Amino acid sequence: MSVIFLVVPLATLIVLVAVIGFVISVRRGQFDDLDTPALRVLHDDDTPKHDGARRSTR
Amino acid sequence: MTVADVAPRGAVPAVGQDVACTHCGLPVPRGLVVPDAEQQFCCAGCQTAFEIIHGHGLDGYYAITERRDGPVAATGRTFDEFDHPTFRQMYVRPAGDGLAQVDLYLEGVHCGACLWLVERVPLIVPGVARAELNMRRSLARVVWDDAAVPLSRVARTLDSLGYHPHPFRGLAVETMRRREDRAMLARIGIAGAIAANVMLAALALYSGQLGGMEGPYERFFRWVSLVLTTPALFWPGRVFFAGAWASVRTRTLHMDVPIALALAVGWLRGTWNTVTDTGPIYFDGLATLTFALLAGRFLQQRGQRAAADSAELLYSLSPSTARVVDGSATREVPAQALLPGMVLDVRAGETFAADGIIASGRSAVDVALLTGESRPVSVEVGDRVYAGTLNVSSAVQVRVDGTGEQSRLAKILQQVDESTRRRAPVVQLANRLAGWFVAAVLLIAAATVLYWYPRDPASAIDNAIALLVVTCPCALALATPLAVSMAIGRAARTGILIKGGDVLERLANPGTLLLDKTGTITEARVVLSHWSGADWIKPLVMALEQESSHPIAAGFRRAFEGVEVMEPSLTTHVVGGGIDGMVEGWHVVVGSPAYVEARACRRPGVVMPPSYLTPILVAVDGTIVAAAGFGDPVRTDARASIDTLRSRGWTVRIVSGDHPTVVAGVGESLGLPAADCVGGATPEDKRRLVDQARQRGNVVMVGDGVNDAAAIAAASVGIGVHGGAEACLATADVYLARPGLAPLVALTEGASRTMAVIRRNIAFSIGYNVIGATLAVTGVINPLIAAILMPVSSLTVVLASWSSTTFHADRAV
């Protein structure tokens, strides 16, 4: 059972990574508009320059 | 037959020649032209449509060429004003890398194909780096190289695609909101993740208490809880400490004080117990409390957002375009693109789109929107007119000096925005109660400590913490605004836009309901059903009526469609009277009998309409030559709705500017006593009736016209109905976006249900707190049970607000 001393901190670390990921995605505005990206993904990727992938990160 | 046969424009293009879309015939933007292809399409929608039509062998459709004459949605405007320095200063921001960025509100965005099309703008216009569209809000963010391409070019392209661009006005508010939303969402995410994990640790501890747990493991999980909970309190939970500190500084007791106190004391005691390895830790309760409170606040904020969005609706109701005089010609320009110095042409019945000085002409202006005064004010060259006011009598030219956010209208709209944020008295009651409540709780907590300390020092602290946790008034302060904002949100979905929570409280108790007739009870579809006069009079009437926005004028226009139109001169409009003007040398007067008979006499052979119709007389050169009668059909749901409202205890009265016999006739058909049908009421009369009725209690005024605006503003609750005038909608507390009177019934029912929910919530949370506090002070429950009970009570109240059916779409017919 002493493995729990290792596993719980590890799990906490994973949670920390997830939380950091979430905060970063919120700050980049990924939750600002929940309707449009669902449609955008359906479009063919025929844009010649791909700087559209670099989203604004204000 | 092939497509190329019938649609030569779709053939392979020569260089420099415009390519027409095979399906719709609009020019294909250059970036979308497929070289050497037989068929060319301007958008994915057209291509799909073509494939379906072609696939079914229905190419004959393209032989019908008339279809192509009118599909062009583009306005063809130059959008020169988009390159103006003032415009740039107001709306354009730098986007880094030497690029500029602007947010444009696009008209006509409706589906995924629009998204595709708008986001292809960088392909069509070289120099545009990005175009990103937010579908739900129809907002496009364009990032472009200012040196390479002017914004007007981008705007023209969007326009040619069928999306008319307007600069987005509420940018500052938008940025602030977005920052708030993001911060709140991050806090909720963190608090939620921590709460869930602390709960896991708590689960281990609780099952350990039941089944036995070795000391080191128990200690370990207690430390894990401490380590996890601490950041939850100091990052997401910071808002409560900040709120409590602000509350202490301003010396007003606020909900945040006991929350912060409970969090702080609970954390200190829990940490102490963890370090010394004795007694309960409260971390699971504290983490869950933080998460639940943050989530509740977010929901509340979202509800208020919905109200703010309905205020944005008012922005869109304010005039969207104006006619700018450009040399001898005039062109339509969106109101947002107006710049100081432009000269506008404003006809009678139109609303001024900007503040300015009259440059030529004289007229009367209805300033009810700004001052509440319903009598038109006469203006002449050099006088000031304001955006949002109505030009009543004749065409004028105005030199613009205040636009956009500098205009007086914008300042009024800011007040409307504020009033949407104003709280219902019942919410304020809950807050006041919370203040007293907090004071009482703090006193009782101190008394508990003082009482228990000499007897049992350990349980003194425990009981005080249990008290603080169990009496946390979040049920009280959370559920009421939640119930109000839920009701407002649900009402909005059924087409009832409520601008403030206090409205619900005032609509819950029956009082006097004053209904305007035209447009409210009736369909405002004025139908000419009696005409006694020669045909040569018709063009003269049309000449005067063609530019008026009055419903009677619309009725004439419909009835006399196809009649030759002549230019009138020296036209004067008198509100509630008629129109007076010169047509081809004739002095023509069209208006109510009182108005016309004061200016003309003798009526050889003119048959007056029957009394239930609205009579209109026509006089030419002092002789009454024709009489018209207009009828207005009563809405089908009017009788049932009015009966329902009366059975609920409302006193229903009709007030109308229309002729008393007409009003009495409509009243009779609705089963109202003649005494409750007031006809011939001027705007001042309407207002006076509202004031009189107010002395007896609640007054709800329902109307649709500018003539109702003053009465609507004076009433306890003003309601504007579908299709109403701008001034009336701006002053109204509630806007019914669906036609008919059925929404009125849904509104009053929903309001009383909402108030019932609120009263139930308050009663529940007070009862709960009294019992909880008693148990805590006497030491019956320990802090752990208190921490479990506390969210349970809040959750009960939240669920009760959530599940209560205040407004529902299916009921609203």
Side-chain angles (χ1 to χ4, degrees), chain B residues 163-202:
Chain B
Y163 309 106
H164 309 165
H166 304 292
F168 177 63
R169 281 197 276 180
L171 199 65
V173 181
E174 176 71 15
T175 316
M176 198 183 72
R177 269 193 198 177
R178 186 180 294 150
R179 206 168 27 232
E180 261 176 33
D181 272 359
R182 284 180 183 175
M184 198 67 178
L185 207 56
R187 276 188 220 120
I188 291 174
I190 296 162
I194 289 174
N197 284 284
V198 175
M199 273 302 187
L200 284 178

Side-chain angles (χ1 to χ4, degrees), chain B residues 66-415:
Chain B
E66 289 86 350
R67 193 177 59 80
R68 297 201 177 146
D69 294 337
V72 184
T75 59
R77 283 182 31 216
T78 58
F79 292 97
D80 286 339
E81 63 274 8
F82 278 43
D83 299 330
H84 198 283
T86 318
F87 182 94
R88 297 187 46 92
Q89 197 191 328
M90 283 171 78
Y91 303 111
V92 178
R93 285 160 304 148
D97 299 342
L99 300 175
Q101 170 182 311
V102 69
D103 282 351
L104 297 175
Y105 173 75
L106 301 185
E107 275 180 60
V109 171
H110 48 81
C111 70
C114 300
L115 173 71
W116 183 87
L117 200 50
V118 170
E119 299 200 342
R120 288 302 170 282
V121 165
L123 290 178
I124 308 167
V125 187
V128 177
R130 283 198 296 280
E132 284 167 12
L133 180 68
N134 179 328
M135 285 284 294
R136 197 170 50 80
R137 317 194 56 212
S138 296
L139 277 184
R141 167 161 301 169
V142 177
V143 179
W144 84 106
D145 183 357
D146 207 18
V149 62
L151 184 60
S152 59
R153 168 87 200 284
V154 182
R156 275 198 301 275
T157 308
L158 285 167
D159 181 53
S160 72
L161 295 175
Y163 309 106
H164 309 165
H166 304 292
F168 177 63
R169 281 197 276 180
L171 199 65
V173 181
E174 176 71 15
T175 316
M176 198 183 72
R177 269 193 198 177
R178 186 180 294 150
R179 206 168 27 232
E180 261 176 33
D181 272 359
R182 284 180 183 175
M184 198 67 178
L185 207 56
R187 276 188 220 120
I188 291 174
I190 296 162
I194 289 174
N197 284 284
V198 175
M199 273 302 187
L200 284 178
L203 200 68
L205 285 171
Y206 293 151
S207 53
Q209 274 174 3
L210 293 176
M213 194 185 211
E214 285 169 43
Y217 292 120
E218 193 179 346
R219 216 170 300 130
F220 173 67
F221 275 111
R222 289 161 73 97
W223 275 99
V224 166
S225 303
L226 169 65
V227 169
L228 283 175
T229 308
T230 308
L233 294 196
F234 289 97
W235 188 0
R238 206 176 46 201
V239 282
F240 302 113
F241 294 111
W245 174 237
S247 157
V248 168
R249 238 182 8 198
T250 55
R251 290 162 205 276
T252 46
L253 278 177
H254 184 258
M255 266 272 302
D256 281 344
V257 175
I259 294 173
L261 204 60
L263 289 180
V265 175
W267 183 81
L268 286 173
R269 182 69 177 164
T271 309
W272 176 254
N273 284 353
T274 308
V275 173
T276 58
D277 201 17
T278 50
I281 55 169
Y282 311 107
F283 297 129
D284 51 337
L286 297 179
T288 320
L289 179 65
T290 314
F291 173 61
L293 287 172
L294 285 173
R297 285 200 182 171
F298 187 64
L299 285 176
Q300 193 185 330
Q301 225 174 50
R302 290 267 297 255
Q304 286 169 348
R305 231 16 88 70
D309 280 345
S310 68
E312 258 172 42
L313 177 110
L314 282 176
Y315 272 99
S316 65
L317 286 174
S318 65
S320 58
T321 60
R323 267 188 314 282
V324 172
V325 180
D326 208 1
S328 58
T330 60
R331 58 190 171 96
E332 291 266 327
V333 162
Q336 295 93 328
L338 290 176
L339 297 166
M342 285 179 170
V343 176
L344 306 183
D345 173 43
V346 185
R347 292 183 196 158
E350 285 184 340
T351 304
F352 293 100
D355 290 3
I357 309 278
I358 301 268
S360 73
R362 65 167 63 187
S363 179
V365 176
D366 187 324
V367 291
L369 178 72
L370 295 176
T371 61
E373 190 189 339
S374 54
R375 217 178 27 198
V377 177
S378 57
V379 291
E380 48 190 60
V381 175
D383 282 345
R384 200 145 231 295
V385 289
Y386 297 101
T389 58
L390 188 72
N391 180 16
V392 181
S393 52
S394 50
V396 288
Q397 294 199 339
V398 178
R399 186 172 301 280
V400 175
D401 65 358
T403 58
E405 282 163 23
Q406 288 103 52
S407 78
R408 222 173 129 184
L409 175 68
K411 283 168 196 151
I412 302 244
L413 285 173
Q414 278 163 18
Q415 287 166 12

Side-chain angles (χ1 to χ4, degrees), chain B residues 84 97 152 179 297 346 527 544 631 686 753 759 784 810:
Chain B
H84 198 283
D97 299 342
S152 59
R179 206 168 27 232
R297 285 200 182 171
V346 185
V527 179
L544 290 187
K686 288 188 179 186
R753 273 196 294 267
R759 275 193 289 271
L784 181 66
D810 49 345

Side-chain angles (χ1 to χ4, degrees), chain B residues 45 64 112 136 191 243 272 308 330 471 502 527 545 616 626 646 696 748 763:
Chain B
I64 308 163
R136 197 170 50 80
W272 176 254
T330 60
T471 56
D502 50 347
V527 179
E545 300 287 358
I616 293 292
R646 292 180 74 192
R696 292 192 299 275
T748 50

Side-chain angles (χ1 to χ4, degrees), chain B residues 18 46 55 139 144 161 213 402 425 453 494 514 561 581 611 631 652 685 729 734 770 775:
Chain B
D18 262 357
C46 282
L139 277 184
W144 84 106
L161 295 175
M213 194 185 211
Y453 199 75
T494 68
L514 296 175
E561 219 179 313
S611 65
V652 180
D685 291 341
L729 298 183
V734 181
V770 168
L775 293 179

